[in-house]
Amino acid sequence: MSLQRTHREPPESQPESRELSLALVVTIRLRVAGLGYHFDIDAVPTATLGELKEEIRRRTDIPSPYQRLVAKRKKLDDDTMVLGPTVMDGNTIVSMGIGFEYGTKILLLHSPLYEPDKEGIGKLTALQKEIDRIDAGWRNRDLNNKTVQELIIQVCCKIDCVETNGSEALRQMRRLTIKKAEGVAQESENNKRGVDP
């Protein structure tokens, strides 16, 4: 999956803006490695660091608050910065840019928030895998809707028992896990009449 944004084509009567728009479609290939992962991400230069972290989360299940990214010997902290060069409008800076080029290597590490939340992260990750097994079970028709609903209730009770110890990042991860469980339950309920999932 890439971080490419969709854009509207400018009217044919404005050839300069059309050329500018087509130039923005160019992507940057970023190479992410660390913590046992190694993959490439294609991104538009105007995508933000926050969007990159979200894509890394989708691929690794490491929530963005627990990610520390390092590139070109610099720690990347400002999620609002664009991945490409700084975007200017005349003499005004529209968006500060990191200046990534094609093939830039990014090191993925755990942030300082990870260590105190490690136990909770492990429990929630295991519960997310349990939700995935339940989801696969009803899709393969190994589990009926009633069983899925009961199992999801049990998983939600386990999620509720995970202590956050005041960590906002862990609270967010817990909310996302609950949302995932509710989504599986809702989808199973909607398809209980024999409609293919």
Side-chain angles (χ1 to χ4, degrees):
M1 181 175 215
S2 67
L3 298 173
Q4 298 177 9
R5 294 186 181 159
T6 57
H7 66 282
R8 288 188 213 143
E9 289 294 324
E12 296 295 331
S13 62
Q14 299 174 346
E16 299 85 22
S17 62
R18 183 174 184 78
E19 289 171 17
L20 178 63
S21 181
L22 292 176
L24 294 177
V25 178
V26 175
T27 60
I28 309 168
R29 174 152 296 157
L30 304 172
R31 301 183 183 281
V32 180
L35 301 176
Y37 298 97
H38 182 78
F39 53 90
D40 293 344
I41 295 177
D42 291 330
V44 293
T46 55
T48 64
L49 183 60
E51 291 169 331
L52 175 64
K53 285 183 174 182
E54 184 57 26
E55 180 64 22
I56 291 171
R57 184 202 60 80
R58 278 194 283 282
R59 293 186 185 209
T60 65
D61 289 327
I62 300 171
S64 58
Y66 299 116
Q67 297 173 21
R68 172 178 278 174
L69 302 180
V70 178
K72 299 182 178 184
R73 298 182 186 170
K74 293 180 183 173
K75 189 170 54 168
L76 306 173
D77 290 329
D78 187 352
D79 288 352
T80 62
M81 292 183 78
V82 295
L83 301 178
T86 298
V87 178
M88 302 284 290
D89 182 19
N91 291 333
T92 307
I93 295 176
V94 176
S95 299
M96 285 299 293
I98 299 170
F100 285 159
E101 298 170 352
Y102 192 90
T104 299
K105 295 177 183 174
I106 299 173
L107 180 62
L108 173 64
L109 303 169
H110 286 302
S111 75
L113 296 175
Y114 179 79
E115 195 56 42
D117 294 349
K118 187 176 183 178
E119 182 181 345
I121 293 168
K123 288 178 182 178
L124 289 173
T125 301
L127 290 169
Q128 288 172 353
K129 289 179 182 173
E130 193 172 332
I131 294 167
D132 290 339
R133 283 192 296 276
I134 295 168
D135 188 33
W138 82 264
R139 288 181 187 278
N140 295 335
R141 305 213 186 272
D142 295 337
L143 301 173
N144 63 32
N145 179 56
K146 184 176 180 182
T147 305
V148 169
Q149 300 302 322
E150 290 173 6
L151 291 172
I152 290 295
I153 289 170
Q154 291 173 10
V155 168
C156 288
C157 290
K158 292 176 187 176
I159 293 168
D160 194 41
C161 290
V162 175
E163 281 296 323
T164 62
N165 299 320
S167 168
E168 185 56 40
L170 201 53
R171 278 192 196 111
Q172 179 185 4
M173 188 176 179
R174 194 167 70 175
R175 277 192 297 269
L176 291 172
T177 307
I178 286 282
K179 194 179 234 183
K180 182 176 185 175
E182 290 172 343
V184 169
Q186 185 64 46
E187 201 170 343
S188 171
E189 182 68 26
N190 290 343
N191 289 303
K192 73 179 180 182
R193 299 176 193 241
V195 178
D196 285 332

